[in-house]
Structures are given as structure tokens and as C-alpha cells.
Amino acid sequence: SVADALGDKALAYIQYAPSPDVNQAYAWFKESLENTKAEASPNVMHFFLDMSLQKLKADPSHKEQFIKDYLLDTQYTDEAIASTDKEALKTALKSVREGLDAQFINSGAATCESLQEIYAPKVEANQANLEALKEVIKVMALMGCKDSDAYLQASLYAYKLDPSADAAVGCAAMAFKKGDIDGSVKFFDEAINLETDNAKKADNAYKAASVLASAKKLSQARSYAQKAISFNENFGAPYILIAQLYAGNYKWNDEPALNKCTFFAAIDKLQRAKAVDPSVAEEANKLISSYSAYTPEAKDLFMLGYKAGDRITIGGWIGETTTIR
């Protein structure tokens, strides 16, 4: 195709021209990639970002475009890897993909600080431009910059224009950052209601539980953790959070030995966590080992009329029955 030929032309140009013009090469690679997409050759995919990086080194104002180029290039590369059955081509594409990541990481454009610098003014200038705000949210979320002010502010403006689950989560994070616990939980509720994916609903409920736990709102925190489990029964993190709530607030009786029985209830949650979600097994086992050291001595319980195997109800806000070990 014409686009393929243009890619070949660009490759020949940077290889054989005595003093190739980076801007010209970049323009040709860009046009070729945008038209061939996932069918572009691995060399075009590689050198397109390479030329974009050269432009960035010469002109710092190219940083935002460089980020867009990286995202576009990796999208097509990933699509190409997924679609080909040719092992040699797949290997070449995977090598290119690793190279793209290395170029991006080493460019200096990959930090949350640099993204904040780029997008903060853009967010304020586009408060009523939903598409521009969504782009900021997408890029910053992809780069793990959800704590950045630009991401949070973009989420707030986007939510006002078009309430969505993702925007509501950003608003919840902003409220929490400002110390507004109730406001944060309210936005997480909105996110749960707007979300259709149960795994994401569970994650949002768990985040709300974590926010409430940080404010020592114990019963509410447990309630949201339980809500997370209701959306995703194989989600171990909420069980771990409940266990930590119990262990951190274990006193409910005048008898020290009975208070220590709360750790049995905490261990129950940790056992359940690793049973339903093997990915949290390591963390759960560490906590089980830690909490086991705080369980009551058999002789102390015997004096109170309890022995191993007996059931006991933990009082106070916990109100849960567990088995004495």
C-alpha cells in the first residue's frame, strides 16, 4: 500500500540520507503508522517512536505528543502481537514492544510529575471539554498517577459534565485527599451505582471501606468490605481489611483473655481470604503468624470456663462468633 511504501521510504531515508531531517522522518513514519496500524512493520513501529524521542530531546514542548505517540504505538504493537500466529514475527514484535517501553521510561516523560506539569493547565483550559478531560484521565490512570492533582481535577470536571464510574472514583480520591471522608464515600457510592462490572464495583466498595477504616469508622468500614465481597466472592483484600479492623480494635470485655479471643475471629477472616484468593496468601499468612502470638493462653480461658473447640461470641461492634483454638 501507499502507507507501507511511505514507511519503507522513511526507513531508507534515515539509513542512507547524509543528514536526515528528524521532523521529516517523523512525519513520514507517523503517516505510515496511522494508516497501517497493527499491520505496520516492526521497524516502522520502532523508528516512529525513536524519531518522536529525537524530537522531544530537541524540543521539550513535544512531550505531550511524545506520550500520545507512545500510547498509539504500543496499542498497535500489542494488537499485532495478539493477532499473528507467525512465531518469528511475534518474537520481533515483542522485542519492539520492550524497546518502546524502554524508550518511554528513559525519556523522562513517564513520571507523574511531568504528566502533572503537562496536564494541569490543559485541565483548567478544558473544564467544559469532556473528550479532552477523558484523555487526561485515561493517560494518567494508565501511568499510575491517580493521586496527581491533574487527574483528580479532571475527574471532577468530567463528573460534572457526564457522571461516570471512573470520574466518580477520581472525585472520591480528591475528597479523601482533602480530608472529606463522607464526601469520598458518597462518590464511591456513585461509582458503584454507575459501574456495570462487578469486579470494579467490588474494588470501589473496598476503596470506600479503606477510606472509612482510615477514619476509624469501624462498623461502616466492615459493611463496605462485606459489600465488596458480595460483588466478588473471590476478592481476598476485603477479608484482610476486616481482619485488620478486628485485630486493631480487639477490646470488648473487662477480661483480657476474652479480648484476646478477637484474634481468633481475625484469623478466621485471613483463612477465608487465602482460601478464596490465592494471590493474597502470602500477606494473609504473615498476618496469621503475627496475630497467633496474641491469642489467649489455654489456662487463662480455662479459668473462665472455656476450652479449645468452644464457640465464643465476640462482643462490642464486632458481634461475631468464632472457635477457640
Side-chain angles (χ1 to χ4, degrees), residues 21-272:
D21 181 346
V22 170
N23 291 319
Q24 180 62 78
Y26 169 78
W28 285 340
F29 279 123
K30 190 172 192 293
E31 183 178 345
S32 176
L33 183 65
E34 287 178 341
N35 284 280
T36 55
K37 299 181 172 58
E39 295 181 359
S41 75
N43 282 335
V44 168
M45 291 175 170
H46 169 78
F47 283 104
F48 165 61
L49 193 66
D50 184 60
M51 291 300 104
S52 188
L53 180 57
Q54 298 308 315
K55 282 176 64 66
L56 174 60
K57 289 178 179 178
D59 179 11
S61 67
H62 183 69
K63 186 179 289 185
E64 182 178 354
Q65 184 59 50
F66 174 74
I67 293 170
K68 291 180 179 179
D69 291 342
Y70 167 76
L71 295 173
L72 184 70
D73 208 348
T74 52
Q75 175 190 334
Y76 292 150
T77 307
D78 288 341
E79 289 175 3
I81 292 171
S83 64
T84 186
D85 293 325
K86 299 177 181 178
E87 287 304 317
L89 178 57
K90 191 183 289 286
T91 299
L93 287 167
K94 286 182 177 179
S95 178
V96 168
R97 183 64 169 85
E98 291 173 1
L100 297 179
D101 289 341
Q103 284 180 302
F104 185 65
I105 292 169
N106 294 327
S107 70
T111 66
C112 292
E113 290 77 10
S114 65
L115 292 176
Q116 170 68 24
E117 183 180 339
I118 291 169
Y119 287 123
K122 185 175 182 179
V123 168
E124 294 305 319
N126 289 276
Q127 295 181 29
N129 185 338
L130 184 60
E131 290 308 310
L133 294 170
K134 284 183 175 180
E135 179 184 326
V136 173
I137 292 170
K138 176 184 176 182
V139 172
M140 298 198 79
L142 186 64
M143 296 303 148
C145 302
K146 289 187 176 183
D147 290 331
S148 298
D149 289 339
Y151 171 84
L152 300 175
Q153 196 64 55
S155 297
L156 179 59
Y157 292 147
Y159 184 80
K160 290 179 179 178
L161 294 172
D162 179 29
S164 69
D166 287 342
V169 170
C171 293
M174 173 174 276
F176 178 66
K177 193 171 185 178
K178 292 180 177 179
D180 182 2
I181 301 300
D182 291 339
S184 181
V185 173
K186 178 182 176 182
F187 277 118
F188 276 125
D189 283 335
E190 287 292 320
I192 292 168
N193 291 333
L194 292 166
E195 185 57 70
T196 56
D197 185 309
N198 274 349
K200 292 182 178 179
K201 282 178 178 284
D203 187 57
N204 291 331
Y206 170 69
K207 288 175 180 175
S210 298
V211 165
L212 289 162
S214 73
K216 302 297 183 184
K217 296 189 176 186
L218 309 178
S219 182
Q220 284 180 274
R222 179 177 61 178
S223 177
Y224 273 87
Q226 291 168 334
K227 183 181 290 189
I229 294 167
S230 74
F231 289 127
N232 180 4
E233 62 183 15
N234 295 318
F235 193 8
Y239 285 109
I240 290 179
L241 179 60
I242 294 173
Q244 291 171 323
L245 290 173
Y246 288 0
N249 304 274
Y250 67 95
K251 294 181 179 180
W252 56 276
N253 197 282
D254 292 335
E255 288 287 349
L258 295 182
N259 285 333
K260 290 182 178 181
C261 289
T262 306
F263 289 97
F264 292 134
I267 291 171
D268 289 343
K269 299 302 179 186
L270 295 170
Q271 296 284 11
R272 183 62 179 165

